[in-house]
Amino acid sequence: MEERLEQAELDALWLPGDPIASADRLAAAAAEPDRSELVRAELETQRARALGLQGRFEEAEALLESLEPAFGVLEVRVLLERGRLRNAVGRSWEAVPILEAALRTARRDDELALAVESALVLAEADRTRAQQWIEEGLADLAGSEDPRTLRWGVVLHDLKGWALLSDGDAAAALVSFEDAVEYAEGYGTLDQQFAAKWALGRCLRELGRLPEALELQRRLATERPDEPAVAEELAALAALGTQEPERDSTAPDSTAQHDTAPDDTAPEERHTIDS
């Protein structure tokens, strides 16, 4: 009998960008007769998350309430998803203490991957202390040797890079984006590798290192010729005096800040189990 939900199964059940199908798959898995009560409940927390992504917040909250009282890993998951729901509806002042409780509980029970995820969601909900939560997540991550857990390093370093770039410190942001690329190449998905390289190229443009930025974006264009974010970067580089891109595109204002990587996943879903 299963003792807990395995991450590999959760990855297989979740379909990025399709919370409706994800919810259906999670519900079907939870209904399988040979499931332990703990695994069934863990699956239901993820179905609550999928419902939240559909905007069905009351249903998601009711589902989480039905799983209480919760202990151990289930307690962490319930707190994490409840905090995420509160943040999604714009009640970050309620989300933050719930997510802090998720982080404390995960650390108490040595749930390292969930501790890192909780810190990441805190960084998104508690913008005034985002850097603190990112650093805490990275500190927790340093204690892991699990490749699947280390994949969170891609997201944390990427988030840190964009925060630094937004604050005007492009040189420091470059280091974070380079770290994100390193983690992506070591542990990430192909999509994460592509997005991390795109962000690195975007930062190189901000630093005025235009030939390097152009070379990188051209390599990405070869990999994915129809990627709009790459086309925008090539157009922006052309507007700054580098060689014209090989395909037609409308150049945006060269001073514009592009803070989204080539990723069509909804912002609230971007840092998920498959990130």
Side-chain angles (χ1 to χ4, degrees):
M1 188 68 68
E2 305 146 290
E3 294 297 327
R4 59 176 299 159
L5 179 62
E6 294 295 330
Q7 184 65 50
E9 180 180 12
L10 191 50
D11 288 346
L13 289 170
W14 193 276
L15 297 178
D18 193 344
I20 296 176
S22 295
D24 291 343
R25 288 158 65 98
L26 289 159
E32 293 173 1
D34 59 343
R35 296 288 188 185
S36 70
E37 287 304 312
L38 174 59
V39 172
R40 192 188 313 279
E42 285 191 81
L43 286 164
E44 292 285 55
T45 67
Q46 300 310 290
R47 183 162 73 91
R49 180 175 187 176
L51 291 172
L53 287 167
Q54 298 173 48
R56 297 162 63 181
F57 300 115
E58 292 184 3
E59 292 175 67
E61 184 64 47
L63 181 53
L64 292 175
E65 288 179 1
S66 75
L67 302 174
E68 295 178 309
F71 307 95
V73 64
L74 181 60
E75 181 182 5
V76 180
R77 288 197 183 279
V78 168
L79 288 167
L80 177 56
E81 298 312 327
R82 179 168 288 134
R84 218 185 312 248
L85 282 172
R86 294 290 201 282
N87 193 50
V89 297
R91 292 155 60 181
S92 60
W93 64 90
E94 294 180 3
V96 171
I98 295 171
L99 292 167
E100 288 178 328
L103 179 58
R104 288 194 304 271
T105 306
R107 287 172 172 167
R108 180 197 69 194
D109 294 344
D110 294 322
E111 295 290 346
L112 184 57
L114 288 173
V116 174
E117 186 174 0
S118 298
L120 174 60
V121 181
L122 269 165
E124 297 174 328
D126 188 5
R127 296 301 177 89
T128 60
R129 293 190 289 167
Q131 288 287 11
Q132 172 194 330
W133 298 122
I134 292 169
E135 294 300 336
E136 290 202 24
L138 289 171
D140 285 333
L141 195 68
S144 177
E145 296 181 355
D146 173 50
R148 182 60 184 80
T149 301
L150 288 167
R151 188 181 297 176
W152 286 114
V154 185
V155 184
L156 285 164
H157 284 295
D158 179 75
L159 190 62
K160 182 178 180 180
W162 287 116
L164 289 167
L165 194 61
S166 178
D167 289 342
D169 193 347
L174 183 69
V175 176
S176 292
F177 287 130
E178 289 172 338
D179 288 338
V181 170
E182 182 178 349
Y183 269 86
E185 291 180 339
Y187 311 106
T189 65
L190 292 176
D191 284 345
Q192 285 182 316
Q193 292 170 26
F194 188 91
K197 291 173 185 175
W198 181 90
L200 178 61
R202 171 66 186 87
C203 190
L204 287 169
R205 171 162 75 87
E206 191 69 20
L207 286 166
R209 293 166 59 173
L210 305 185
E212 295 169 80
L214 180 61
E215 180 184 359
L216 180 51
Q217 296 296 347
R218 279 179 169 170
R219 289 203 305 267
L220 295 177
T222 300
E223 290 181 33
R224 301 186 182 183
D226 297 325
E227 176 54 62
V230 175
E232 289 180 3
E233 274 303 295
L234 288 172
L237 288 163
L240 291 171
T242 54
Q243 186 174 337
E244 290 289 335
E246 296 178 358
R247 52 206 170 107
D248 292 335
S249 59
T250 303
D253 181 353
S254 63
T255 63
Q257 296 290 325
H258 298 283
D259 61 357
T260 55
D263 181 351
D264 59 3
T265 308
E268 64 273 21
E269 191 181 1
R270 187 167 295 139
H271 308 314
T272 64
I273 54 177
D274 63 303
S275 294

